[in-house]
Amino acid sequence: MKPVTLKQIAEQLNISVTTVSKALKDYSDVSPKTKALVKELAKTLNYKPNTFAVNLRTKESKTIGLIIPVIVHHFFSNVIRGIISQAEKKGYLVIILQSNESYELEKKQIDLLMSQRVDGILISLANGTANFSHLNEVIAQDKPLVMFDKIAKIVKCSKIIIDDRKAAYMATQHLIDTGCKRIAHFRGALLPQNSIDRFLGYKKALLDNNMPYDPSLVYICECGDMSFEEGKKNAQQLLNDHNDVDGIFINTDLVAIGAMTEFNKQGVKVPEDISIVGFSNWFMSSVISPTLTTVDQPGYEMGRAAFKQLYREMKQLKKNKPVVYKEIVLETALVKRESTKELVK
Amino acid sequence: MKPVTLKQIAEQLNISVTTVSKALKDYSDVSPKTKALVKELAKTLNYKPNTFAVNLRTKESKTIGLIIPVIVHHFFSNVIRGIISQAEKKGYLVIILQSNESYELEKKQIDLLMSQRVDGILISLANGTANFSHLNEVIAQDKPLVMFDKIAKIVKCSKIIIDDRKAAYMATQHLIDTGCKRIAHFRGALLPQNSIDRFLGYKKALLDNNMPYDPSLVYICECGDMSFEEGKKNAQQLLNDHNDVDGIFINTDLVAIGAMTEFNKQGVKVPEDISIVGFSNWFMSSVISPTLTTVDQPGYEMGRAAFKQLYREMKQLKKNKPVVYKEIVLETALVKRESTKELVK
DNA sequence: CTGAAAGCGCTTACAG
DNA sequence: CTGAAAGCGCTTACAG
């Protein structure tokens, strides 16, 4: 059963393809009578415009691309939800690719999306990405591009982020306020901006509270992805290296949970011996024990905001109007739970 | 900067568009010299074929659609990963939609994907789906369709599943083997096949062990989605209704975790007072305490298998060869953890 | 080995 | 109010 075309409708009604096309799109220069006839037949024949042809004519695909480091992470799946739901509202479909934190893959996927001629691209960078020419090329070709969460400051485009530095500061301050005297930090990989900013927030909080900053207390994620195993490994290492640490600010909940699991195994009590603050507020952080104090990061909202901005830019582009890049900073909140102690009065 | 077309290459080289097209596709009837010239220029100009035009000609989009009930669920995000990675290998892109367990949405999304003329569709049904005409229509239009996990037996198409009945039987048998005498079941919604099959597996295990089947011990999920809250609510209800239940087989890990949280709050000890087996082996089940005994369901593998089958069918269709529907059953395994007791010798 | 021509199914500027 | 025509950028059967 072949799909119905405009031509078939036109032939059956003995009118031109032009008129059929215009009737279906409610052009004002078609008689109401013709419109009614056309629409009725289109409906009975279950006519669906051929998107391929429409795309070719309009040079639009009503499809956007999304590149995300890891889909299964709670934060990112929430971002995806936000993007898809907003896109659907505006009649856009979303092609999703996973970069697996690899720069090479990310680059290939950008190429793929450009070949596919998506109308715009949303991206959260891989940890491995240090070169941004693939992104600048997208921009150079006038393809709207919006980065979120894991961004590169140097790339000129819109960005949806949180204030990582401030959030990390809050988190560290909370450890200090609850009596921690020697606070370690499990940071992410070296490159990502958010990992840098969270580190800087941690450092600033220490200094503002007249606590010494000790580089040996900062553990870098070498493997590139922020995993449960990474948390266990770092926790083990920390216990070997130091016996006076009483608080840790950890870059991601999943890593924090890995660390807590290890501490639990080793008989180190959380928060009595060591307090822990995570980052991102994954669902599971609220159900493990002790429940994890963390920074809530609005994934769903971030996804929505990212699509909205992309949509704005796609619309401007279509009208040949100038695009104004925006940097939208979403609010975060510290969620206090059992992995940190009560406030010291 | 407008994209380069075949015409531009042809003009610059003073040859025909036909020859350029054939040269780029390595047709045997183009001289090696011409080929070399064309390819070189194409490369320097960064020529990318216009997918819209290619699609229109070839009637293929090299894109498939995926409809999934909930993205953030660990099992489903793993399925997505499996699908995307396999699709990428074969040069296919994946458009993802979330049905939110709603039949109405699912139907709309099928329509959307058909309008978009994707080459094939992968779907896991919404809990609310009891009418399958939207799916039969897809099949009637010769569009390859593969269902996975949440399937409808009555729809004639390929299916990738696990043996839910067997897995549930295993899970229940484990509760029996570890000494449970009165076993409840939190089943999913009424409609989904897997929720029915898991219930039947539970029931069969009881009967095979000469244990009475008591309908009042089966709690149905009314709200439609299998959530954490659902687990808490059912657990509460169970404590009200019965004081002799010592084991529960729960349809989904997330619900099981909700139940455990509630039990913990009420001072009911797991597994001492009540043993629990979940289903799906979500990551978080291995990090909560007690860790959750559950049935491991191979999400990533299921995604891969689903795409592979779809790919086979798309290839057959292209060659105008008959499509053979397959029902592929993947293996599951019981993962024994702390929420159930040791085997009774 | 090369190329003119038709056509995929639409949209839209233009003529009447 | 209606329609002929051009064109979006490809692919491919066919002629030479």
Side-chain angles (χ1 to χ4, degrees), chain A residues 137-281:
Chain A
E137 210 167 298
V138 172
I139 297 165
Q141 302 203 12
D142 281 330
K143 184 75 66 185
L145 173 78
V146 173
M147 308 180 86
F148 61 89
D149 190 51
K150 295 172 68 183
I151 61 149
K153 282 192 176 163
I154 205 177
V155 178
K156 297 238 177 310
C157 67
S158 289
K159 289 151 201 164
I160 319 292
I161 47 174
I162 57 168
D163 189 334
D164 280 292
R165 214 177 290 199
K166 184 174 133 197
Y169 188 100
M170 260 182 351
T172 312
Q173 185 67 50
H174 178 65
L175 286 168
I176 297 170
D177 291 346
T178 55
C180 296
K181 299 293 178 207
R182 195 148 160 79
I183 301 170
H185 176 40
F186 294 178
R187 64 174 281 178
L190 267 184
L191 295 170
Q193 189 62 47
N194 59 4
S195 143
I196 295 170
D197 283 333
R198 289 176 201 174
F199 163 68
L200 291 174
Y202 154 79
K203 193 168 163 186
K204 184 154 194 301
L206 293 183
L207 298 179
D208 283 1
N209 285 276
N210 298 312
M211 291 171 72
Y213 161 63
D214 176 354
S216 80
L217 293 180
V218 176
Y219 290 74
I220 296 178
C221 168
E222 283 144 6
C223 62
D225 71 334
M226 295 299 286
S227 68
F228 180 76
E229 290 306 321
E230 180 71 19
K232 284 176 76 165
K233 210 188 71 193
N234 282 346
Q236 221 163 27
Q237 194 62 45
L238 179 91
L239 292 179
N240 277 344
D241 297 348
H242 304 276
N243 57 17
D244 55 351
V245 165
D246 56 2
I248 321 178
F249 166 51
I250 302 183
N251 201 294
T252 302
D253 277 11
L254 185 58
V255 179
I257 289 166
M260 293 217 304
T261 302
E262 183 64 23
F263 287 146
N264 185 41
K265 202 172 119 193
Q266 307 266 346
V268 175
K269 293 226 179 318
V270 177
E272 293 80 358
D273 301 330
I274 297 185
S275 296
I276 294 183
V277 180
F279 205 105
S280 229
N281 196 19

Side-chain angles (χ1 to χ4, degrees), chain B residues 6 18 21 27 47 50 53 57:
Chain B
L6 287 186
T18 305
S21 173
Y27 273 44
Y47 170 75
N50 183 323
R57 277 296 317 224

Side-chain angles (χ1 to χ4, degrees), chain B residues 145-159:
Chain B
L145 172 79
V146 174
M147 308 180 85
F148 61 91
D149 191 50
K150 294 170 69 183
I151 61 148
K153 282 193 175 162
I154 204 177
V155 178
K156 297 234 176 316
C157 67
S158 289
K159 289 151 199 161

Side-chain angles (χ1 to χ4, degrees), chain B residues 108-163:
Chain B
K108 252 187 228 156
Q109 292 171 340
I110 285 277
D111 256 18
L112 210 60
L113 292 175
M114 290 303 280
S115 294
Q116 185 70 13
R117 282 178 161 68
V118 292
D119 295 343
I121 295 179
L122 295 174
I123 189 170
S124 189
L125 295 182
N127 278 340
T129 300
N131 179 323
F132 309 111
S133 57
H134 55 310
L135 303 172
N136 287 325
E137 210 167 299
V138 170
I139 297 165
Q141 302 204 12
D142 281 331
K143 184 74 66 183
L145 172 79
V146 174
M147 308 180 85
F148 61 91
D149 191 50
K150 294 170 69 183
I151 61 148
K153 282 193 175 162
I154 204 177
V155 178
K156 297 234 176 316
C157 67
S158 289
K159 289 151 199 161
I160 319 292
I161 48 174
I162 56 169
D163 189 335

Side-chain angles (χ1 to χ4, degrees), chain B residues 13-296:
Chain B
L13 293 176
N14 250 320
I15 55 177
S16 75
V17 168
T18 305
T19 305
V20 174
S21 173
K22 289 200 276 194
L24 287 174
K25 305 182 81 191
D26 256 330
Y27 273 44
S28 57
D29 64 348
V30 179
S31 75
K33 217 171 89 186
T34 311
K35 271 189 199 172
L37 277 171
V38 170
K39 284 183 182 173
E40 204 196 315
L41 185 56
K43 194 159 189 185
T44 43
L45 294 182
N46 191 24
Y47 170 75
K48 299 262 174 65
N50 183 323
T51 335
F52 302 158
V54 176
N55 289 349
L56 181 58
R57 277 296 317 224
T58 61
K59 299 183 187 304
E60 280 190 319
S61 60
K62 291 280 184 181
T63 299
I64 65 159
L66 165 63
I67 300 178
I68 213 152
V70 197
I71 293 170
V72 288
H73 281 192
H74 188 260
F75 171 71
F76 284 130
S77 12
N78 266 320
V79 174
I80 296 178
R81 264 200 326 128
I83 292 170
I84 290 186
S85 73
Q86 196 60 31
E88 217 173 341
K89 270 190 203 155
K90 299 291 186 184
Y92 278 78
L93 293 174
V94 184
I95 288 170
I96 301 183
L97 293 166
Q98 166 167 302
S99 68
N100 253 321
E101 303 285 10
S102 148
Y103 164 64
E104 293 303 330
L105 245 182
E106 179 181 297
K107 207 171 140 175
K108 252 187 228 156
Q109 292 171 340
I110 285 277
D111 256 18
L112 210 60
L113 292 175
M114 290 303 280
S115 294
Q116 185 70 13
R117 282 178 161 68
V118 292
D119 295 343
I121 295 179
L122 295 174
I123 189 170
S124 189
L125 295 182
N127 278 340
T129 300
N131 179 323
F132 309 111
S133 57
H134 55 310
L135 303 172
N136 287 325
E137 210 167 299
V138 170
I139 297 165
Q141 302 204 12
D142 281 331
K143 184 74 66 183
L145 172 79
V146 174
M147 308 180 85
F148 61 91
D149 191 50
K150 294 170 69 183
I151 61 148
K153 282 193 175 162
I154 204 177
V155 178
K156 297 234 176 316
C157 67
S158 289
K159 289 151 199 161
I160 319 292
I161 48 174
I162 56 169
D163 189 335
D164 279 292
R165 212 176 291 201
K166 185 173 134 197
Y169 188 100
M170 261 183 351
T172 311
Q173 185 67 51
H174 178 66
L175 286 169
I176 297 169
D177 291 345
T178 55
C180 295
K181 300 293 178 208
R182 194 149 161 79
I183 301 170
H185 176 40
F186 293 179
R187 65 173 280 179
L190 267 185
L191 295 171
Q193 190 61 49
N194 59 6
S195 143
I196 295 170
D197 284 332
R198 288 177 202 172
F199 163 68
L200 292 174
Y202 154 80
K203 192 168 164 187
K204 184 154 194 301
L206 293 183
L207 299 180
D208 283 0
N209 286 274
N210 297 312
M211 290 170 74
Y213 161 63
D214 176 354
S216 80
L217 293 179
V218 176
Y219 290 75
I220 295 177
C221 169
E222 284 143 9
C223 63
D225 71 333
M226 295 299 287
S227 68
F228 180 76
E229 290 306 323
E230 180 70 21
K232 284 176 77 165
K233 210 188 71 192
N234 282 346
Q236 224 164 24
Q237 194 61 46
L238 179 91
L239 292 180
N240 278 343
D241 297 349
H242 305 276
N243 58 15
D244 54 351
V245 165
D246 56 3
I248 320 178
F249 165 50
I250 302 183
N251 201 293
T252 303
D253 277 11
L254 186 57
V255 179
I257 290 167
M260 295 216 304
T261 303
E262 183 62 24
F263 287 145
N264 185 40
K265 203 172 118 193
Q266 307 266 348
V268 175
K269 292 225 182 316
V270 176
E272 293 80 358
D273 301 331
I274 298 184
S275 295
I276 294 183
V277 180
F279 204 106
S280 228
N281 196 18
W282 289 32
F283 174 77
M284 77 175 100
S285 302
S286 62
V287 296
I288 51 164
S289 50
T291 53
L292 181 67
T293 295
T294 186
V295 175
D296 186 56

